[in-house]
Amino acid sequence: MKGLILEGGGAKGAFHMGALKALREAGHEFDFVCGTSVGAMNGALIAQGDYDVALDWWKMLDTSRLFGFKKQASTVALFTGALRSMIKNGGLDTSKIREILARIIDEDKLRSSAVDFGMITYSLTRRQPLRLYKEDIPRGKLVDYLMASGNLPVFKTQPLDGENYLDGSFYDNCPVNLALERGCDDVVIIRTYTIRPIRSYPKEGLRELMIKPSVNLGGVLDFSRSALTENFNAGYCETKRVTDDLLGETYFIARKGAKPLSDALYALSDAKAARLASAFGYPAEEPRRTLLYLILPEAARLLGASALTCDEVLMRLMEYEARKRGVPRFKLYGVRDFAERIFDLRDMVSYDFVTNSVFSPAGVEITGREFFLSTLCDVYTKSLIDIN
């Protein structure tokens, strides 16, 4: 039995949606879905079979739509408006979140779905967690309990049947045990790395696929369009790395159909290899030997990649220069596309073969490590583009 577990995290829930897009493309299907807070909300939509509905809403969400604030010119102004609302109303008004959930959650559809569902919330009144499966939730109350699962302390208190509830993340923000107790022996866990407790779970005999971000996904209440888009793209790319075995450590490059990266190095003409050797102060008499046995090992040393293969060193070189030149990270690239993006930004560190110098946009000469890596990368990526 296969389960999906979604960690809570407010605006970080956009990461779930990107990850799920990639999982769906890879053919993953689930018998059980559970989560906490926004993980419960997203999970309910997945369990009722409405990923596309959920995705459409995430594409429209922003802070004004969720909390009723006018669109502000700055984060400071938005924070000030939120603080005033909290003081005046005893917490942020979540009525618009409830309206959205009431519109897109189909309780009858969820209850009749073959996909099981579970969630976590915490009763402040009873001072105990509620670990709920769909049959435990009173009929007609699904949206209420989803709101209870996501009731952060900064939100205005909304009692449910005479009890006050707290966001379930304060008990278990990633409820793997709900899936295991339901019989799942194969789980996909989508993390957001929100600072909340997570209960330990037995791993013996458990098949586990963990999807996790490699960057900080930002604040739980940062529902700006830029943050949500970035988190969605991060979820998609991080999951594609797992499902599609991509190239790269920090960027995401499709491996399928790609030639060995070293082919572009071997494709350099003797003349170009000789010019490169001369630029670095190496003998130019045997340029290919110099390239393979002096220049490439020096690049590996500078990149901290001495133990890696030739192809791995070349990939690390491109990623290093991509980060330095501002190539967007969370995008799925082909090898040629990635090389083109790096090469097209070469004006940021332009090399002059006549003077053997590298200049920044401000005209300041760059020497040493950056001179070596930038020049080698420009020559290499141009060759990579030419052979692909």
Side-chain angles (χ1 to χ4, degrees):
M1 185 172 174
K2 188 169 185 176
L4 172 68
I5 301 95
L6 304 176
E7 183 178 1
K12 302 178 187 183
F15 184 85
H16 298 158
M17 302 310 296
L20 284 163
K21 181 177 187 290
L23 288 170
R24 286 161 58 88
E25 289 174 356
H28 286 263
E29 296 181 349
F30 302 98
D31 305 299
F32 177 80
V33 182
C34 66
T36 300
S37 192
V38 72
M41 298 174 188
N42 281 341
L45 287 159
I46 300 306
Q48 74 182 39
D50 280 332
Y51 170 81
D52 290 333
V53 171
L55 181 58
D56 287 343
W57 273 97
W58 274 100
K59 288 179 178 179
M60 291 189 288
L61 291 182
D62 57 29
T63 308
S64 62
R65 187 182 290 272
L66 287 175
F67 300 112
F69 301 129
K70 293 181 180 180
K71 292 186 177 180
Q72 304 285 352
S74 69
T75 302
V76 173
L78 184 60
F79 176 79
T80 301
L83 188 60
R84 287 173 180 167
S85 176
M86 289 170 61
I87 295 172
K88 180 180 178 181
N89 302 313
L92 287 174
D93 183 7
T94 58
S95 60
K96 290 188 176 294
I97 299 176
R98 180 182 290 274
E99 289 173 8
I100 292 171
L101 287 178
R103 190 177 304 177
I104 61 179
I105 294 292
D106 187 328
E107 184 169 343
D108 291 337
K109 194 173 182 180
L110 176 67
R111 292 187 183 278
S112 62
S113 173
V115 179
D116 203 356
F117 173 72
M119 56 170 283
I120 300 282
T121 186
Y122 188 89
S123 171
L124 284 172
T125 304
R126 285 179 273 171
R127 296 185 179 180
Q128 67 181 42
L130 274 68
R131 305 169 71 259
L132 304 171
Y133 297 103
K134 60 183 178 182
E135 68 270 16
D136 301 321
I137 301 170
R139 286 193 172 272
K141 299 282 188 178
L142 177 58
V143 169
D144 295 321
Y145 277 89
L146 290 174
M147 291 292 295
S149 182
N151 191 37
L152 290 169
V154 296
F155 291 161
K156 185 176 181 179
T157 301
Q158 296 288 338
L160 172 56
D161 294 333
E163 294 189 29
N164 290 324
Y165 287 87
L166 180 66
D167 192 295
S169 66
F170 287 90
Y171 171 73
D172 188 357
N173 202 32
C174 193
V176 180
N177 284 304
L178 281 180
L180 303 188
E181 292 167 17
R182 211 59 160 179
C184 294
D185 54 8
D186 182 2
V187 296
V188 175
I189 304 169
I190 303 180
R191 298 293 311 274
T192 61
Y193 287 145
T194 303
I195 304 176
R196 293 287 188 273
I198 294 176
R199 302 285 162 172
S200 61
Y201 55 93
K203 296 191 176 184
E204 185 176 353
L206 179 65
R207 184 179 177 186
E208 180 183 86
L209 176 62
M210 185 84 71
I211 308 296
K212 51 191 178 182
S214 58
V215 295
N216 188 322
L217 298 179
V220 296
L221 293 179
D222 186 1
F223 285 92
S224 63
R225 283 309 317 157
S226 59
L228 295 183
T229 300
E230 184 77 357
N231 287 348
F232 176 88
N233 291 339
Y236 181 74
C237 289
E238 300 284 12
T239 308
K240 292 295 278 187
R241 185 186 301 289
V242 175
T243 60
D244 290 20
D245 186 28
L246 302 181
L247 294 168
E249 293 180 343
T250 56
Y251 283 83
F252 306 86
I253 302 105
R255 186 187 300 271
K256 186 176 181 181
K259 298 177 181 178
L261 296 181
S262 53
D263 283 6
L265 200 64
Y266 302 139
L268 285 174
S269 67
D270 286 345
K272 285 184 179 179
R275 291 172 69 192
L276 195 58
S278 295
F280 296 150
Y282 290 116
E285 288 76 17
E286 297 183 81
R288 290 189 175 278
R289 183 176 179 81
T290 299
L291 181 62
L292 295 174
Y293 293 102
L294 293 176
I295 294 176
L296 191 63
E298 176 62 8
R301 186 188 70 80
L302 292 173
L303 293 165
S306 296
L308 302 183
T309 66
C310 177
D311 277 32
E312 289 168 339
V313 171
L314 292 168
M315 177 55 68
R316 185 167 291 189
L317 172 66
M318 287 197 293
E319 290 190 295
Y320 175 82
E321 288 295 319
R323 288 193 301 273
K324 188 170 70 177
R325 302 179 190 198
V327 175
R329 183 181 171 200
F330 290 113
K331 178 183 175 182
L332 192 60
Y333 294 96
V335 169
R336 179 189 171 93
D337 181 32
F338 188 52
E340 285 177 338
R341 294 297 295 268
I342 298 167
F343 188 76
D344 287 346
L345 291 168
R346 65 192 180 281
D347 287 342
M348 296 180 67
V349 280
S350 57
Y351 176 65
D352 183 347
F353 267 114
V354 176
T355 61
N356 288 345
S357 301
V358 174
F359 294 91
S360 73
V364 178
E365 185 176 354
I366 302 171
T367 59
R369 181 177 189 270
E370 297 308 316
F371 164 83
F372 188 97
L373 295 175
S374 295
T375 304
L376 178 59
C377 187
D378 283 347
V379 173
Y380 172 71
T381 51
K382 180 61 169 65
S383 178
L384 189 60
I385 293 165
D386 289 343
I387 71 167
N388 279 279

